[in-house]
């Protein structure tokens, strides 16, 4: 088993690119990651591509940048797609089979709207048997937490205030404006308690990462810029009574987090920053607890006290999160590693978490899966 | 005017049965661990993995609200607002459905209210062949 390092990583600015293809967006991210690592397409020995809405995008990317005949596999795992691609590449290097592997995640979502796809039946069941829209699904997850711990509408809304504020310092985020609490709470109500400003934005985007074995990192003299992957964990949903009537976003996250902490041999208190899956504002608070950033029922205090804001005890989503950066599904799980890498290298500019040495990235996809990665400055 | 007799309504979900005087619910219940499932057939139990098979099980027609959202914007063509609810059925599984007969105001909704399960026409929705459907709905028990 080899330790695995990130030596090159790139995320393109998320936004709307209606005249481009997923392959073109992905290729831009891959070239950036290769440049960052100081290698060429000829050095890449295997590649994994995450994309949900298009097929064979990995091959199409290499058709843009150089077809070298390497093994390429495409993966799809809902919102954990990009993270799953990274994990596959990580395994390929960790086993010793490859010294240089690439993972890329990409999605083109312009025009798809934020609600998700309606489920087909002989008659439409949306609004007949409740809602399967994403805002409602995550509202129900949040209401479950609120019923237990008294979380208020305002406390959920503060997540958007915080993450949108962080995004004002991130030139690659699609939404970069301050949204005071009243603005968030008074925005169009989509599915109570999620207003429009509490829903993530479906945009186009891509991110890519170059992984190398320890031997290769030393051979190329890249250790000074390398980031060690301390843990890569993936979990599926264990049986739960209400799932899938009420998709369970908690259990898979809890399992993936526990596996990641055990693999890394660390605890949540050792982390300097976290990028977690804030697809809706209601979700973020649940994950504070799921990722062991706080004890049971303490998420309300975490958001009220500013503990998870930049400068707080454990900054969460300093990139602006999915709520402001945007959420191109296949790219999201690679993009959060990009954000961690910037901080661990001290290159995050205005939003830099001072002295960051260890970070955690989390995604959860309905269906259900969750991936957690822990990165450390090498 | 032609006088073709309307064909009888169809169940809007596979666990709704219209073979008696009143609509009824029937779920699969694992012979090994008793866990209940909504789908009409399964190869094994998702909870215990048993392949012993399943019994048909009719639950009580009451339950407890577990979570909900007041939906103000949904897929195009869907009438709003409505309340999407998850209910834990007494002696049954959890079920999603519309909660009706309560105000669209979170301050006036008891998040753990007792509900009854009722059946009604599927909001006038018809399939491509013009068939009507019967769906389940949740109503507050306290409204009596
Ligand atoms: Zn069983």
């Amino acid at each position: 088993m080899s330790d695995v390092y990130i030596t090159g990583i790139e995320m393109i600015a998320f936004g709307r690119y209606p005249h481009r293809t997923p392959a073109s967006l992905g290729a831009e991210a891959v070239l950036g990651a290769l440049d960052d690592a100081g290698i060429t397409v000829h050095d890449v020995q295997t590649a994994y591509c995450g994309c949900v809405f298009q097929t064979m995008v990995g091959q199409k990317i290499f058709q843009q940048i150089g077809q070298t005949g390497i093994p390429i596999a495409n993966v799809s795992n809902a919102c954990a797609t990009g993270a799953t691609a990274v994990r596959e590449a990580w395994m390929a290097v960790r086993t010793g089979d490859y010294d240089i592997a690439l993972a890329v995640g990409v999605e083109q979502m312009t025009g798809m709207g934020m609600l998700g796809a309606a489920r087909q039946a002989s008659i439409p069941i949306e609004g007949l048997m409740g809602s399967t829209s994403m805002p409602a699904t995550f509202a129900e997850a949040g209401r479950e937490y609120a019923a237990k711990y008294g979380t208020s509408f305002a406390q959920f809304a503060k997540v958007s205030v915080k993450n949108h504020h962080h995004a004002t310092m991130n030139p690659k985020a699609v939404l970069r404006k301050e949204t005071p609490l009243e603005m968030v709470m008074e925005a169009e109500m989509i599915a109570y308690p999620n207003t429009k400003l509490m829903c993530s934005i479906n945009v186009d985007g891509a991110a890519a990462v170059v992984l190398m074995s320890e031997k290769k990192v030393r051979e190329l003299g890249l250790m000074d810029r390398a980031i060690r992957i301390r843990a890569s964990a993936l979990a599926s949903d264990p049986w739960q009574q209400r799932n899938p009537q009420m998709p369970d976003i908690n259990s898979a996250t809890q399992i993936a987090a526990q596996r990641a902490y055990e693999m890394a041999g660390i605890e949540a208190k050792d982390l300097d920053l976290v990028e977690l899956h804030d697809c809706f504002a209601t979700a973020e608070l649940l994950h504070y607890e799921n990722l062991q950033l706080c004890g049971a029922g303490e998420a309300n205090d975490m958001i009220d006290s500013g503990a998870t804001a930049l400068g707080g005890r454990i900054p969460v989503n300093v990139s602006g999160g999915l709520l402001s950066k945007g959420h191109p599904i296949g790219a999201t799980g690679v993009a959060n590693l990009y954000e961690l890498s910037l901080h661990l290298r001290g290159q995050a500019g205005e939003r830099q978490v001072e002295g960051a040495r260890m970070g955690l990235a989390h995604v959860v996809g309905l269906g259900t899966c969750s991936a957690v990665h822990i990165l450390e400055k090498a | 005017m032609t006088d073709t007799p309307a064909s009888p309504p169809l169940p809007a979900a596979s666990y709704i049965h219209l073979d008696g005087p009143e609509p009824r619910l029937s779920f699969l219940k694992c012979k090994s661990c008793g866990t209940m499932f909504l789908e009409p057939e399964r190869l094994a139990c998702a909870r215990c993995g048993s392949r012993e098979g399943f019994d048909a099980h009719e639950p009580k027609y009451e339950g407890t609200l577990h979570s909900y959202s007041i939906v103000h914007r949904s897929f195009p063509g869907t009438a709003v607002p409505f309340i999407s609810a998850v209910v834990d059925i007494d002696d049954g599984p959890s079920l999603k459905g519309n909660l009706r007969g309560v105000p669209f105001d979170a301050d006036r909704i008891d998040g753990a209210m007792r509900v009854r399960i009722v059946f009604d026409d599927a909001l006038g929705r018809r399939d491509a062949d013009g068939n009507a459907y019967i769906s389940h709905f949740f109503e507050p028990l306290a409204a009596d």
Side-chain angles (χ1 to χ4, degrees):
Chain A
M1 296 280 185
S2 168
D3 265 345
V4 182
Y5 294 81
I6 292 173
T7 54
I9 191 159
E10 171 67 316
M11 169 187 138
I12 69 166
F14 288 177
R16 303 188 197 287
Y17 302 100
H19 303 299
R20 293 183 60 182
T21 62
S24 142
L25 299 173
E28 182 182 341
V30 169
L31 290 176
L34 295 179
D35 291 350
D36 189 34
I39 62 170
T40 75
V41 69
H42 299 286
D43 299 309
V44 177
Q45 297 168 329
T46 187
Y48 293 88
C49 176
C51 185
V52 173
F53 296 107
Q54 305 262 341
T55 57
M56 301 302 277
V57 174
Q59 286 79 356
K60 287 173 186 154
I61 287 171
F62 280 78
Q63 285 159 15
Q64 303 263 335
I65 63 169
Q67 291 172 260
T68 56
I70 59 164
I72 298 173
N74 297 280
V75 303
S76 174
N77 217 9
C79 297
T81 291
T84 304
V86 173
R87 183 178 153 77
E88 292 294 323
W90 168 80
M91 287 194 287
V93 174
R94 191 168 87 125
T95 57
D97 287 316
Y98 299 93
D99 284 311
I100 302 181
L102 181 116
V104 55
V106 60
E107 212 72 67
Q108 199 167 27
M109 303 186 67
T110 297
M112 292 183 74
M114 65 175 176
L115 295 170
R119 211 160 65 198
Q120 295 300 317
S122 51
I123 55 169
I125 60 161
E126 178 68 15
L128 172 65
M129 298 183 194
S131 179
T132 60
S133 80
M134 290 298 111
T137 297
F138 282 88
E140 287 164 5
R143 287 293 314 163
E144 181 181 61
Y145 191 84
K148 234 162 130 186
Y149 299 118
T151 316
S152 67
F153 175 25
Q155 282 168 323
F156 284 125
K158 283 180 187 175
V159 171
S160 288
V161 177
K162 169 180 74 75
N163 292 356
H164 291 154
H165 168 66
H166 288 160
T168 62
M169 296 174 273
N170 182 358
K172 290 190 175 181
V174 72
L175 179 69
R176 295 189 301 272
K177 68 168 186 184
E178 298 287 354
T179 57
L181 186 61
E182 313 74 58
M183 187 192 286
V184 173
M185 294 178 74
E186 286 163 18
E188 180 191 351
M189 182 58 73
I190 306 296
Y192 180 90
N194 282 323
T195 68
K196 191 168 182 184
L197 285 173
M198 295 163 72
C199 300
S200 59
I201 310 160
N202 285 344
V203 297
D204 308 332
V209 59
V210 173
L211 305 186
M212 290 188 192
S213 63
E214 179 158 7
K215 184 183 77 178
K216 183 59 76 174
V217 176
R218 294 198 185 284
E219 184 186 313
L220 297 179
L222 295 172
M223 199 51 88
D224 60 331
R225 57 186 291 97
I227 289 159
R228 187 147 70 113
I229 299 183
R230 288 286 300 266
S232 173
L234 181 66
S236 59
D237 49 340
W239 181 86
Q240 289 284 341
Q241 161 68 30
R242 299 185 186 94
N243 187 31
Q245 282 32 270
M246 179 177 180
D248 173 21
I249 61 169
N250 300 312
S251 304
T253 294
Q254 290 160 4
I255 293 172
Q258 184 58 34
R259 282 181 187 154
Y261 287 130
E262 283 171 11
M263 189 180 295
I266 67 157
E267 297 173 33
K269 67 173 173 50
D270 300 320
L271 298 170
D272 299 304
L273 76 159
V274 169
E275 287 284 304
L276 63 74
H277 204 73
D278 59 331
C279 49
F280 294 88
T282 45
E284 179 163 316
L285 297 189
L286 279 55
H287 294 316
Y288 291 171
E289 195 173 314
N290 293 331
L291 296 173
Q292 307 177 21
L293 307 183
C294 68
E298 292 172 3
N300 303 343
D301 289 339
M302 292 281 279
I303 193 69
D304 281 344
S305 69
T308 55
L310 183 58
R313 176 169 72 76
I314 174 69
V316 171
N317 289 330
V318 287
S319 66
L322 281 50
L323 288 171
S324 15
K325 195 166 63 179
H327 182 21
I329 292 180
T332 290
V334 185
N336 57 17
L337 298 179
Y338 170 79
E339 181 69 15
L340 294 185
S341 299
L342 286 184
H343 290 272
L344 299 179
R345 286 174 171 176
Q347 296 171 342
E350 245 192 300
R351 66 185 189 283
Q352 176 70 41
V353 173
E354 288 307 323
R357 293 201 59 85
M358 187 97 73
L360 179 149
H362 157 258
V363 287
V364 60
L366 288 190
T368 294
C369 52
S370 177
V372 172
H373 284 92
I374 294 175
L375 305 186
E376 181 188 29
K377 187 182 171 70
Chain B
M1 261 176 49
T2 52
D3 191 22
T4 39
S7 54
L10 303 171
S14 60
Y15 46 79
I16 298 173
H17 296 264
L18 305 175
D19 51 1
E22 296 295 332
R24 64 183 180 87
L25 295 172
S26 181
F27 300 103
L28 292 187
K29 184 173 183 178
C30 174
K31 285 182 193 290
S32 289
C33 75
T35 297
M36 283 181 258
F37 298 92
L38 272 57
E39 56 268 58
E41 50 183 51
R42 295 183 63 89
L43 289 174
C45 174
R47 183 181 202 174
C48 73
S50 166
R51 290 191 261 169
E52 293 300 305
F54 300 86
D55 295 315
H57 180 81
E58 184 172 8
K60 303 277 189 288
Y61 290 87
E62 292 182 5
T64 304
L65 179 62
H66 175 70
S67 192
Y68 70 92
S69 176
I70 308 166
V71 181
H72 293 269
R73 201 210 291 185
S74 180
F75 304 124
T78 305
V80 289
F82 64 91
I83 298 175
S84 173
V86 177
V87 166
D88 296 338
I89 304 177
D90 296 354
D91 192 28
S94 298
L95 195 60
K96 197 160 198 177
N98 279 15
L99 172 62
R100 64 187 197 186
V102 298
F104 299 111
D105 176 358
D107 293 335
R108 295 168 62 198
I109 295 174
D110 169 4
M113 73 172 76
R114 293 284 297 161
V115 300
R116 76 163 64 80
I117 297 149
V118 300
F119 299 91
D120 210 339
D121 176 73
L123 306 177
R125 297 179 188 187
R126 301 283 188 271
D127 65 19
D129 299 322
N131 295 304
Y133 285 78
I134 299 290
S135 183
H136 65 276
F137 296 88
F138 304 124
E139 292 178 348
L141 263 179
D144 281 342

